[in-house]
Amino acid sequence: MTKSDSLEKGRDFIEYVVKAIVEHPDDVEVTQTTDNLGVLVTLKVHKDDMGKIIGKDGQTAKSLRILLRMMGSKSNDRYNLKIIEPVEEAV
């Protein structure tokens, strides 16, 4: 397994878990960028699913971040999860 393959596992993991939680799995977008600070996994979901992703007192989001960091520690990679809040369309 190459370093690139192990980095993609973080993105794939978040995508898999989030799609299992949300009501609109087709609207889930997960992207990943790598720089000298580590790996940034960016998550976008449908506006109706934001509450499920964040969870009560932010516990779901915190748990996703912890699991992602644990995956990274196995391969000495630093992972961060950024959740993008969907913008309301003007009526």
Side-chain angles (χ1 to χ4, degrees), residues 40-79:
L40 177 64
V41 178
T42 306
L43 172 64
K44 292 182 186 178
V45 296
H46 191 276
K47 63 181 173 99
D48 295 339
D49 291 325
M50 280 301 288
K52 289 186 178 186
I53 294 304
I54 295 171
K56 190 172 186 175
D57 294 326
Q59 288 300 306
T60 304
K62 183 177 179 182
S63 297
L64 287 170
R65 287 183 173 110
I66 289 170
L67 290 170
L68 191 60
R69 286 187 187 129
M70 288 177 66
M71 288 182 67
S73 68
K74 184 176 180 182
S75 57
N76 292 326
D77 296 315
R78 181 179 169 95
Y79 279 96

Side-chain angles (χ1 to χ4, degrees), residues 28-47:
V28 173
E29 291 180 37
V30 183
T31 57
Q32 178 176 294
T33 56
T34 305
D35 61 16
N36 59 345
L37 297 175
V39 180
L40 177 64
V41 178
T42 306
L43 172 64
K44 292 182 186 178
V45 296
H46 191 276
K47 63 181 173 99

